[in-house]
Amino acid sequence: GSEVDVDPGVEIDEENAEDDLLGGLQIDSTDDIEVPDRLVDQVIGQDEARDIIIKAAKQRRHVMMIGSPGTGKSMLAKAMSQLLPQEDLQDVLVYHNPDDGNAPKVRTVPAGKGEQIIDAHKEEARKRNQMRSILMWIIIAIVIGYALLTANILLGILAAGIIWLIFRYTSRGTDAMVPNMIVDNGDQRQAPFEDATGAHAGALLGDVRHDPFQSGGMETPSHDRVEPGSIHKSNKGVLFVDEINTLDIRTQQKLMTAIQEGEFAITGQSERSSGAMVQTEPVPCDFVMIAAGNLDAMENMHPALRNRVKGYGYEVYMDDTIEDTPEMRRKYARFVAQEVERDGRLPHFTDDAVEELILEAKRRSGRKNHLTLHFRSLGGLVRVAGDIARAEDREHTTRDDVLQAKQRSRSIEQQLADDYIERRKDYELQVTEEAVEGRVNGLAVMGEDSGIMLPVMAEIAPAQGGGQVIATGKLQEMAEESVQNVSAIIKKFSDVDLSEKDIHIQFVQAGQQGVDGDSASITVATAVISALEDIPIDQSVAMTGSLSVRGDVLPVGGVTHKIEAAAKAGCDTVIIPKANEQDVMIEDEYEEMVEIIPCSNISEVLDVALEGEPKKDSLVDRLKQITGTALDRQQAV
Ligand code: ADP
């Protein structure tokens, strides 16, 4: 999708495009935006992956796509199937083998031909059956006629019945003549696309059904029980396998054989079924494979299969975010139009509803001047918002609907975090009015997109032996690291010998799963210094940031979510790393609730967080002298 096509009459305001959330797109609603026909033109971002797909389609090469879920891997695989030539499509028929009932024959014919063959066979079988029943009725008539003549009616009826049964149960034999079309491309307008994600062996490689009767005239002929696998259905098309590493190793091995040979015989996959006795002639499976997964998937993939893809194809990494440009925003507007049309029932979005979505895409990127490429969840938001408008029978989906949808489509982590905050409010564990020594409101991220406030407490006690850092829970390692980083600074300004002290650090109520403490080192440092120097901390302040040994505040992830969590918890000041200043994309409602103070050095953090002059001022002054460049100089000596 190079550019966004709009209906004639709709213009792009190039002059103001830079500042406009819609990139200068002059639309009333997404109804004005034209959606490209080809899927490959609908793909937004992922330029490298797109180019590779186009190239690989021309050369019929396999592709390995690694990246986050919902960034367009299966969409690109489907797009590739639209690019493959459809002339080569084939139908596959399985025939009864009169020499060996358990080794059905396989024939491949051009697409559309299969149906004609089946029809011809059916017609022949029908004629044969007709002849048989005529024959049967003639014999019955003769028998009954003879019985009437000899006045032996009972015997006559009995004989007729037996004849009828014999004909009835031998008629199966004629069905055996009709082949079983396992791959039917007669109506196929494009090369097939098969998604074999999570498929079990039978679904992937084909199977032969069990026959409970097996003999006695009731059995289903073996060729009729043959079922194709995704590898066969995707012949001449695309086989997409996401989470490739979840296929068991034996199946991966067979998949590799299939790729090498271009054909693969079908046999019953379950060993104790009668289907396991059946094995067809090889069935064509000349597909292009698109294997996908996250980085993990690549490591756990069968090495030979990986090499196969690598040696005969391409590997590509999917992007998570893309630079925010006017052109890109116009494409995001088109994304909304695409999703609305794909769903078919949602009302189109007004211009300001689209703007709100683009804002959300900015926010979710968590990166300065970028938009998120996690389209599946963004698409989910479009659908929820559209559903709200549809439920009220409105013509358009509005900005309000998008805002409501955001509230509704909170992730599990977000719901958990909100619930957690609610519950903590009950216990009054949140913000208190007065200043407290050794207690800091830290901030963490749960899951991907949920901030949470996580108070940290530090207590200093004389050591029993050598001084230790003692932390509760799983955050021990992180606590030790933070204390280590801050100890270089403490040594410089304090008489206290840390090696003679035990530092207890408690992460209040941090038993929570998924809480990432990685970015809490300024929090721990602040708590320790406060406890050490007996200077209280303002409890209306929350903070996040990583600390270097020199006292620099380093950037962290998820600042937007963290700030929002602090605001929700009732803080009025949030300290963030200066380097994260551009990543802040909080929603309007929070902007008035909190003041954000970017800091680049621990002395600035303490200046904001500590209370109680003059003790505090002298501490901050001392710190200013020894941290940052001053510390550099000292260390250089
Ligand atoms: P993946 O296979 O990477 O998990 P999908 O391709 O299934 O993700 O994406 C899910 C949906 O999200 C797609 O059907 C499409 O509607 C939308 N989508 C994903 N990536 C893109 C993209 N790059 N451009 C446009 N839409 C996308």
Side-chain angles (χ1 to χ4, degrees):
S2 43
E3 246 306 341
V4 176
D5 289 322
V6 285
D7 280 349
V10 180
E11 290 181 358
I12 294 173
D13 179 1
E14 295 282 359
E15 227 152 83
N16 299 315
E18 207 54 55
D19 301 323
D20 183 23
L21 264 178
L22 295 181
L25 214 53
Q26 303 286 300
I27 51 163
D28 293 325
S29 81
T30 47
D31 205 6
D32 300 335
I33 300 174
E34 225 166 273
V35 173
D37 292 333
R38 295 193 316 172
L39 211 48
V40 70
D41 299 323
Q42 291 184 15
V43 175
I44 297 163
Q46 314 296 6
D47 283 348
E48 204 186 332
R50 259 190 67 225
D51 290 349
I52 281 179
I53 284 294
I54 293 170
K55 219 183 322 171
K58 277 201 195 108
Q59 304 166 344
R60 298 190 53 85
R61 293 291 171 85
H62 306 299
V63 180
M64 171 106 157
M65 281 186 201
I66 297 299
S68 309
T71 49
K73 296 185 291 292
S74 93
M75 185 182 188
L76 278 162
K78 221 175 285 172
M80 185 182 196
S81 69
Q82 293 180 344
L83 300 176
L84 290 171
Q86 83 184 73
E87 301 90 72
D88 323 334
L89 297 193
Q90 298 170 327
D91 292 339
V92 178
L93 300 155
V94 183
Y95 287 78
H96 173 64
N97 181 353
D99 298 331
D100 182 352
N102 281 333
K105 291 183 171 302
V106 172
R107 294 287 172 270
T108 307
V109 295
K113 200 102 203 266
E115 199 179 327
Q116 295 171 15
I117 293 173
I118 297 275
D119 284 349
H121 275 283
K122 276 196 182 145
E123 179 61 19
E124 203 178 316
R126 198 185 57 81
K127 275 193 195 139
R128 241 186 226 222
N129 271 339
Q130 213 169 28
M131 292 301 292
R132 278 169 58 91
S133 36
I134 290 170
L135 188 68
M136 179 184 79
W137 287 116
I138 289 174
I139 296 173
I140 289 176
I142 291 170
V143 168
I144 291 184
Y146 182 76
L148 283 175
L149 275 179
T150 56
N152 230 338
I153 294 178
L154 219 60
L155 211 64
I157 291 176
L158 200 68
I162 290 170
I163 293 164
W164 182 83
L165 275 175
I166 289 172
F167 272 88
R168 168 101 173 61
Y169 283 106
T170 53
S171 74
R172 296 243 159 207
T174 59
D175 288 347
M177 292 176 2
V178 181
N180 171 14
M181 179 153 55
I182 56 170
V183 178
D184 180 0
N185 277 320
D187 298 326
Q188 194 73 20
R189 290 281 146 265
Q190 66 195 45
F193 168 80
E194 282 292 323
D195 186 344
T197 304
H200 55 87
L204 183 68
L205 306 168
D207 207 348
V208 180
R209 279 197 314 275
H210 179 65
D211 181 6
F213 299 107
Q214 295 182 42
S215 64
M218 297 280 283
E219 75 266 30
T220 311
S222 63
H223 77 278
D224 254 350
R225 290 185 277 124
V226 172
E227 285 176 353
S230 300
I231 60 167
H232 307 111
K233 287 190 273 192
S234 58
N235 184 33
K236 305 288 177 197
V238 173
L239 179 74
F240 177 66
V241 190
D242 204 351
E243 297 161 18
I244 180 95
N245 54 317
T246 61
L247 284 182
D248 73 71
I249 287 292
R250 267 176 56 204
T251 310
Q252 288 194 44
Q253 228 146 19
K254 288 180 183 167
L255 181 60
M256 198 172 61
T257 311
I259 291 173
Q260 266 161 359
E261 309 284 327
E263 53 180 29
F264 198 81
I266 299 177
T267 184
Q269 297 290 340
S270 132
E271 269 162 33
R272 272 172 304 170
S273 111
S274 64
M277 300 190 314
V278 179
Q279 181 166 34
T280 67
E281 287 181 344
V283 179
C285 61
D286 178 21
F287 53 83
V288 172
M289 183 169 76
I290 302 206
N294 49 20
L295 273 176
D296 252 21
M298 211 163 47
E299 276 165 27
N300 299 331
M301 190 175 170
H302 194 302
L305 185 59
R306 165 119 196 258
N307 280 340
R308 188 82 202 167
V309 175
K310 220 168 158 181
Y312 293 83
Y314 300 97
E315 292 187 322
V316 60
Y317 191 80
M318 305 290 286
D319 296 325
D320 282 317
T321 61
I322 191 153
E323 205 181 321
D324 179 13
T325 62
E327 190 201 335
M328 215 23 89
R329 283 181 227 155
R330 294 197 284 274
K331 284 189 185 169
Y332 273 65
R334 195 191 71 205
F335 166 75
V336 177
Q338 281 170 196
E339 295 294 306
V340 166
E341 295 206 351
R342 187 162 306 156
D343 185 275
R345 291 164 306 170
L346 308 176
H348 272 287
F349 281 48
T350 60
D351 51 353
D352 55 354
V354 177
E355 284 178 2
E356 191 59 41
L357 258 151
I358 291 174
L359 264 183
E360 184 64 15
K362 270 169 88 70
R363 228 175 262 137
R364 289 190 182 182
S365 76
R367 218 179 136 188
K368 163 168 138 186
N369 292 332
H370 277 74
L371 296 160
T372 180
L373 285 169
H374 290 204
F375 280 111
R376 184 180 293 136
S377 57
L378 218 51
L381 195 57
V382 169
R383 274 181 293 281
V384 175
D387 276 341
I388 294 172
R390 195 166 72 98
E392 292 172 14
D393 264 338
R394 273 186 275 110
E395 195 188 343
H396 286 119
T397 308
T398 62
R399 177 167 180 268
D400 265 354
D401 298 329
V402 176
L403 290 175
Q404 253 194 62
K406 261 173 44 186
Q407 185 58 24
R408 267 192 221 178
S409 59
R410 289 173 305 162
S411 67
I412 297 288
E413 287 88 356
Q414 186 66 56
Q415 295 177 32
L416 213 72
D418 286 355
D419 180 55
Y420 186 42
I421 288 164
E422 263 317 296
R423 257 185 301 148
R424 293 213 298 190
K425 267 192 190 136
D426 296 344
Y427 295 111
E428 292 184 19
L429 253 165
Q430 292 304 99
V431 181
T432 50
E433 291 293 309
E434 79 262 45
V436 179
E437 279 172 25
R439 185 189 193 277
V440 180
N441 292 314
L443 295 166
V445 176
M446 275 173 83
E448 268 178 28
D449 55 359
S450 303
I452 187 157
M453 198 156 102
L454 194 67
V456 173
M457 310 245 246
E459 190 92 40
I460 314 280
Q464 304 293 333
Q468 281 181 21
V469 177
I470 300 154
T472 51
K474 289 178 222 146
L475 299 170
Q476 172 79 31
E477 213 171 290
M478 180 249 137
E480 271 173 24
E481 220 177 283
S482 304
V483 173
Q484 228 151 45
N485 281 3
V486 79
S487 66
I489 299 160
I490 291 174
K491 260 186 220 154
K492 295 263 147 55
F493 79 84
S494 170
D495 306 329
V496 183
D497 186 356
L498 278 184
S499 65
E500 288 169 6
K501 302 278 179 191
D502 278 345
I503 302 176
H504 295 258
I505 295 176
Q506 186 190 6
F507 295 86
V508 181
Q509 291 213 342
Q512 211 70 16
Q513 280 288 315
V515 172
D516 136 53
D518 201 35
S519 52
S521 45
I522 65 160
T523 318
V524 173
T526 306
V528 170
I529 291 174
S530 156
L532 211 57
E533 299 285 308
D534 300 326
I535 305 175
I537 296 163
D538 181 352
Q539 294 299 303
S540 67
V541 176
M543 63 177 72
T544 179
S546 201
L547 187 67
S548 80
V549 277
R550 296 160 42 196
D552 298 320
V553 177
L554 306 175
V556 294
V559 270
T560 299
H561 304 299
K562 287 173 176 172
I563 294 169
E564 291 182 356
K568 269 194 225 164
C571 291
D572 51 33
T573 308
V574 183
I575 295 170
I576 64 164
K578 177 111 180 125
N580 282 122
E581 206 174 356
Q582 300 298 318
D583 303 335
V584 177
M585 281 165 286
I586 61 172
E587 288 172 44
D588 299 347
E589 53 174 309
Y590 297 116
E591 231 153 71
E592 283 135 40
M593 294 165 68
V594 288
E595 188 190 357
I596 299 164
I597 305 183
C599 292
S600 50
N601 189 283
I602 185 76
S603 58
E604 294 167 50
V605 173
L606 295 174
D607 199 9
V608 177
L610 298 184
E611 277 198 355
E613 288 86 9
K615 231 173 155 185
K616 163 196 162 180
D617 290 341
S618 102
L619 172 74
V620 171
D621 279 346
R622 270 182 288 151
L623 260 179
K624 264 188 200 151
Q625 284 169 13
I626 60 162
T627 56
T629 49
L631 190 69
D632 267 354
R633 226 174 301 126
Q634 284 190 2
Q635 278 174 339
V637 172

